[in-house]
Amino acid sequence: MISVVIPLYNKEQQIAHTLQSVLHQTFQQFEIVIVDDGSTDGSVAEVEKIHDNRIRLIHQKNAGVSAARNRGITEAKYDLIAFLDADDEWKSEYLETQYGLYQKYPECSVYACNYEFHNAEGKVISTIVHKLPFKSEDGILCNYFEVASCSHPPLWTSAVVVKKEAILAIGGFPMGIKSGEDLLTWARLAVRYKIAYTTEIKAIYNLGEGYNFSNLPSRRQDENDPVGKFLLQLYKEHIPHPIGMRQYISHWHKMRASVAIRYGEKQETIIETLISLRYNPCNYKVIPLAILAFIPKRWRMRIIKMYKQN
């Protein structure tokens, strides 16, 4: 049995479709724990229109997505927890595929599959995944940080199933972080537990409006970079150091530089670029971001619109 945890906050237009993608799974042994994080639109009413005794709707005051996921974890009845965001969806064989990994790789505590992006116009965009340590369709992802530093995230929230005991052991999702709380969670799991991964595409990341490098990100970065500090702490605490973790830290600061430049934060962009290069001097993809910081704003925005994040 699998507990499906869905944090819900103001997704009136998407939640019904997301729920249907769960109810239509080929694997039907699940419960759905929906944590309403103080929605102010009609999200709850949309959930209540769907009558299935496997759905549990829990209400809490708005406390953020990490708090909602953590509440769902504690409320979950089963030993396997599948996370699904309220605006994403699964293909019909998703849970069957993940349960298959669980049966095939009992030594693992985390199970993940590949996914694809759907943009607002309905275009399907494939993920880019490099340096997998196996050549077959699935295997153990023993070099998570190496893969994550040169690919789309191999672990993405709506494409991950975790043993409840493992997610509880690391304290769940970190609170008080606006951006990167999920990436930090996977990093904390990756240094402690084995990950089973399949290249099969069984989940859909719906990008929605505004996911374009030339647009401002929907969320500002956290001040003082708590995610970066936690990643560095993990790196120092684990000897031998996980394969590729320095490159992953560099990649994280590249992402912070890309956000900073879009907000016109010249000094922050340069600082993040230098930190990125400190951990991986070969991370040449971060250098154009630093150059952009010295270009006048009127020209910078034109160049940013032509720059593709990768």
Side-chain angles (χ1 to χ4, degrees), residues 65-66 69 144 153 155 157 172-188 205 218-222 225-231 234 248 252 255-256 259:
V65 67
S66 288
R69 288 178 183 145
Y144 166 77
L155 299 189
T157 309
F173 289 83
M175 302 286 289
I177 295 177
K178 295 183 295 184
S179 179
E181 78 290 335
D182 49 350
L183 297 183
L184 179 56
T185 301
W186 314 139
R188 292 165 70 191
Y205 189 154
S218 58
R219 293 178 289 181
R220 289 299 301 262
Q221 302 182 117
D222 293 276
D225 188 18
V227 173
K229 290 178 180 178
F230 275 120
L231 288 175
L234 286 176
Y248 185 73
W252 167 252
M255 290 191 291
R256 283 182 60 86
V259 173

Side-chain angles (χ1 to χ4, degrees), residues 262-274:
R262 283 179 279 172
Y263 276 103
E265 300 289 348
K266 177 180 177 179
Q267 183 177 1
E268 184 179 354
T269 301
I270 295 170
I271 291 173
E272 293 296 337
T273 299
L274 292 175

Side-chain angles (χ1 to χ4, degrees), residues 118-168:
H118 288 194
N119 68 14
E121 291 74 39
K123 181 182 178 181
V124 177
I125 305 168
S126 298
T127 57
I128 298 172
V129 182
H130 297 300
K131 297 188 177 181
L132 289 176
F134 50 85
K135 295 183 179 180
S136 57
E137 193 171 62
D138 56 63
I140 294 179
L141 191 65
C142 56
N143 61 336
Y144 166 77
F145 295 104
E146 183 179 31
V147 174
S149 66
C150 63
S151 311
H152 284 108
L155 299 189
W156 165 59
T157 309
S158 295
V160 173
V161 172
V162 183
K163 288 182 178 177
K164 185 174 181 177
E165 62 181 5
I167 194 73
L168 287 176

Side-chain angles (χ1 to χ4, degrees), residues 2-7 30-36 54-60 66-83 164 167-168:
I2 299 175
S3 294
V4 179
V5 171
I6 302 178
F30 58 78
E31 66 164 349
I32 303 174
V33 182
I34 301 174
V35 181
D36 171 43
R54 293 172 295 181
I55 297 175
R56 284 192 288 143
L57 181 59
I58 298 166
H59 302 278
Q60 68 177 29
S66 288
R69 288 178 183 145
N70 290 342
R71 177 71 181 278
I73 292 167
T74 59
E75 296 281 351
K77 294 179 180 178
Y78 303 120
D79 294 333
L80 288 177
I81 298 178
F83 298 102
K164 185 174 181 177
I167 194 73
L168 287 176

